[in-house]
Amino acid sequence: MVFPDPPWLNQFRASTNSFLSQYEPLTLLLSPLFALLLALILQSFFLVIHERGLKATIISFVMSSVKLVPGVSKYIDAEKQKIVDKLQASGNRDGWKTELPRSGLGNKVLEQMKDEKQKDGTWQGKCSGTVYIGGNEHEGHFSLINEACSMFAHTNPLHLSVFPSVVRFEAEVVAMTAALLGSKEKTSGGQICGNMTSGGTESILLAVKSSRDYMKAKKGITKPEMIIPVSAHSAYDKAAQYFKIKLWRVPVDKEFRADVKAVNRHINKNTIMIVGSAPGFPHGIIDPIEDLGDLASSYGICLHVDLCLGGFVLPFARKLGYPVPPFDFTVQGVTSISVDVHKYGLAPKGTSVVLYRNHEIRKHQFVAVTEWTGGLYVSPTIAGSRPGGLIAGAWAAMISLGFEGYLENTKEIMEASKSIQKGIQDIPELFMIGRPDMSIIAFGSDVVDIFEVNDVMSSKGWHLNALQRPNSVHICVTLQHVPVVQIFLKDLRDSVQTVKENPGPVSGGFAPIYGAAGKMPDRGMVQDLLIEFMDSSC
């Protein structure tokens, strides 16, 4: 039996058809498509606002619109080029070779290299970080490292059967580093493993890549996201771009430590990892690794700890009685760690270690190729061929110094750091950024332009690091600084006084550029400046 439609439905149908009859059929057909397109546009717009913030989105839109005005884009490009030219003012390339010489110089090339080396800046005791070995290049630990590297300069651990010596050196460097970071403790799980890399950036890249692939296998995450504090190293930005991972930068707290609550708010079903630093590069402050570990464990995600700076200081500082919070594999939830041997490990430049809690995670670091006509291929790191000389140099550094050697070095570095902190606090125009946990000391000023102070320090031969948000400068204290602490503090006091009495940019200084970059609301323009500078510099 067929039941008739209720009267209200007939009435609704009649009124709807009457209303729609005034529109053309094509309009009715296209309207839903336009509505869908508008919805997609609005969705994309709100997604951009969610990722970048309302202010940054509006500024970017306004700047893009302004650049459409005839002549404006050309003017902006010209102004950017002026800044790039100023940044490159010291990089005169006149006389640089652009092709092979017709006849080689033979051994005479060494004399030419010595001449070029004389043009390098004076770094002995004057650089923030950069050179971590004490003394000069011709004696002591420097000489030992140079000889070790030279002895194995032509080796390559890619060829396991040809160079078993450097294969052993790498395995022992990794194992010794892991032992410093909790591998012998029961809470580590007893499976800590890893590899040597070319530096902290590669170690971080590999940890991110391995975490991404591990979480895809474990949870099926195909749209990975990671969360880092704003103080985390820029290597994570590089990893995010390389490996197609959405990156969330969250604020730090009032003490410039990672804000665990802010991290927690950003965790979702696509989160693969969170990050903590021990300490962070900008201010030398250790993030709350235990709290981050609890967070990672509760969500079943990865936690990477950046120990690139602290790996060869914090274990010894803790032994010396300094108040060092937990930071290594003894913290549950830590799944990977990066630590540079070429910093406070006093190894040659280009040596770092990436460590994992277990082999299940590390296996996702490797690349294995089975269908190449060149044969079966497997490689543990980004580089295929690797310089065995650097691995040998790292092994030589660790074996020659031993635990007691690193302990003594840490004592000298920490004492020098505390003296510099006290000296900075005694300069009324300056203030410390947070409370540094290690040997990186950042300071700013509400009285003078700190970037102008940095320029005056540069004129005295010092090479410090300029920071932003807040505007500040830091010094990373090394063994090079131990004998010159009072010289540094005197030069800093004098520089502050010079700027206070004669404010304004120093001729040839970079304070105006740093200042302008910090005030540019369009961060895309600052990014363009950096890329233009790099493109014309390498």
Side-chain angles (χ1 to χ4, degrees):
M1 178 180 288
V2 178
F3 293 96
D5 292 332
W8 66 266
L9 182 58
N10 288 328
Q11 186 179 359
F12 174 75
R13 182 184 298 117
S15 61
T16 301
N17 287 334
S18 175
F19 173 77
L20 294 176
S21 64
Q22 60 186 309
Y23 296 100
E24 294 183 9
L26 183 61
T27 302
L28 296 176
L29 180 65
L30 293 178
S31 293
L33 297 177
F34 281 120
L36 178 61
L37 179 61
L38 179 61
L40 291 174
I41 292 173
L42 288 174
Q43 182 187 40
S44 299
F45 178 70
F46 286 118
L47 183 61
V48 170
I49 290 177
H50 179 59
E51 291 183 357
R52 302 178 59 182
L54 180 60
K55 181 180 177 181
T57 302
I58 292 174
I59 290 172
S60 178
F61 176 76
V62 170
M63 291 302 299
S64 298
S65 301
V66 168
K67 290 177 184 178
L68 295 176
V69 177
V72 172
S73 182
K74 186 179 292 186
Y75 171 78
I76 291 175
D77 289 341
E79 291 301 306
K80 285 195 297 186
Q81 190 57 48
K82 288 180 183 178
I83 297 176
V84 171
D85 291 342
K86 187 169 183 179
L87 286 169
Q88 292 182 319
S90 60
N92 188 345
R93 296 193 171 202
D94 292 343
W96 284 28
K97 292 178 176 59
T98 58
E99 58 184 359
L100 282 170
R102 177 66 62 180
S103 299
L105 294 180
N107 290 339
K108 292 181 180 178
V109 70
L110 296 176
E111 295 302 319
Q112 186 170 332
M113 293 176 74
K114 290 177 182 177
D115 292 340
E116 289 296 323
K117 189 175 175 63
Q118 296 301 316
K119 300 174 186 176
D120 290 345
T122 302
W123 51 261
Q124 287 84 352
K126 292 281 190 174
C127 286
S128 172
T130 311
V131 180
Y132 292 78
I133 302 173
N136 64 63
E137 293 179 281
H138 307 294
E139 60 185 22
H141 191 76
F142 261 120
S143 180
L144 182 149
I145 295 301
N146 292 342
E147 187 170 348
C149 289
S150 177
M151 191 184 305
F152 291 86
H154 303 286
T155 62
N156 180 357
L158 180 66
H159 304 285
L160 305 177
S161 60
V162 182
F163 304 112
S165 55
V166 292
V167 173
R168 173 181 175 175
F169 293 155
E170 176 176 11
E172 293 190 359
V173 166
V174 170
M176 289 187 289
T177 304
L180 292 175
L181 304 177
S183 69
K184 302 297 184 181
E185 303 297 325
K186 288 184 179 180
T187 51
S188 72
Q191 287 194 52
I192 307 301
C193 53
N195 292 90
M196 288 190 67
T197 71
S198 62
T201 293
E202 186 184 358
S203 290
I204 289 171
L205 287 173
L206 289 171
V208 172
K209 186 265 184 192
S210 302
S211 299
R212 181 199 66 177
D213 294 351
Y214 172 66
M215 293 304 292
K216 182 179 180 180
K218 182 180 178 182
K219 286 189 169 185
I221 296 175
T222 57
K223 295 181 179 179
E225 301 181 11
M226 64 176 169
I227 306 163
I228 67 174
V230 293
S231 55
H233 198 276
S234 53
Y236 298 100
D237 293 82
K238 184 179 286 189
Q241 292 183 36
Y242 283 2
F243 304 134
K244 296 182 179 179
I245 299 172
K246 181 181 289 186
L247 178 67
W248 295 103
R249 278 190 176 273
V250 300
V252 290
D253 62 21
K254 293 180 180 179
E255 297 178 347
F256 295 90
R257 303 161 80 230
D259 187 331
V260 179
K261 291 182 179 179
V263 173
N264 190 21
R265 284 194 296 269
H266 280 77
I267 294 177
N268 60 45
K269 64 179 182 179
N270 291 319
T271 304
I272 59 167
M273 68 185 299
I274 58 178
V275 167
S277 303
F281 169 83
H283 313 121
I285 295 171
I286 298 175
D287 287 329
I289 303 302
E290 275 191 313
D291 293 339
L292 291 172
D294 290 341
L295 202 58
S297 295
S298 65
Y299 283 99
I301 58 178
C302 296
L303 167 60
H304 179 76
V305 179
D306 181 356
L307 270 164
C308 289
L309 274 165
F312 281 85
V313 173
L314 294 180
F316 304 102
R318 183 167 53 190
K319 188 75 173 178
L320 290 168
Y322 285 94
V324 178
F327 59 86
D328 55 20
F329 283 113
T330 59
V331 176
Q332 291 302 310
V334 173
T335 52
S336 58
I337 287 176
S338 52
V339 50
D340 286 357
V341 198
H342 66 202
K343 289 189 172 77
Y344 291 104
L346 308 188
K349 287 299 177 186
T351 51
S352 178
V353 172
V354 58
L355 297 169
Y356 299 95
R357 182 170 287 276
N358 55 53
H359 293 271
E360 184 183 358
I361 304 173
R362 186 178 68 151
K363 286 176 182 178
H364 293 280
Q365 174 182 294
F366 305 152
V367 171
V369 181
T370 61
E371 304 307 309
W372 179 36
T373 57
L376 299 177
Y377 178 90
V378 62
S379 175
T381 60
I382 293 175
S385 293
R386 291 182 293 151
L390 297 182
I391 294 173
W395 185 86
M398 296 177 72
I399 295 298
S400 66
L401 289 167
F403 192 93
E404 293 297 331
Y406 283 117
L407 198 67
E408 181 60 34
N409 289 340
T410 299
K411 182 180 179 182
E412 292 185 8
I413 291 165
M414 293 298 287
E415 288 177 353
S417 301
K418 296 303 178 185
S419 296
I420 290 176
Q421 288 181 46
K422 184 178 184 307
I424 291 172
Q425 290 169 334
D426 289 340
I427 301 175
E429 295 83 3
L430 301 181
F431 61 83
M432 300 278 293
I433 306 294
R435 292 180 295 176
D437 292 303
M438 210 181 82
S439 51
I440 299 93
I441 306 156
F443 51 93
S445 177
D446 292 326
V447 180
V448 295
D449 187 324
I450 197 64
F451 294 140
E452 291 179 11
V453 173
N454 190 32
D455 282 344
V456 177
M457 288 292 283
S458 295
S459 71
K460 297 177 183 291
W462 294 95
H463 302 276
L464 308 179
N465 291 96
L467 313 172
Q468 61 179 350
R469 298 178 181 178
N471 289 349
S472 50
V473 172
H474 89 200
I475 179 171
C476 177
V477 182
T478 72
L479 289 172
Q480 288 283 328
H481 299 116
V482 171
V484 296
V485 168
Q486 296 309 316
I487 296 173
F488 170 78
L489 291 173
K490 179 183 183 304
D491 284 349
L492 182 58
R493 284 192 295 268
D494 292 346
S495 297
V496 169
Q497 196 62 33
T498 297
V499 174
K500 189 175 181 181
E501 294 174 356
N502 302 284
V506 176
S507 177
F510 292 112
I513 295 173
Y514 279 112
K519 294 174 183 176
M520 281 184 184
D522 183 9
R523 305 311 290 172
M525 189 177 294
V526 180
Q527 185 181 48
D528 289 344
L529 276 173
L530 294 175
I531 290 174
E532 290 287 343
F533 169 66
M534 182 55 63
D535 185 52
S536 55
S537 300
C538 65

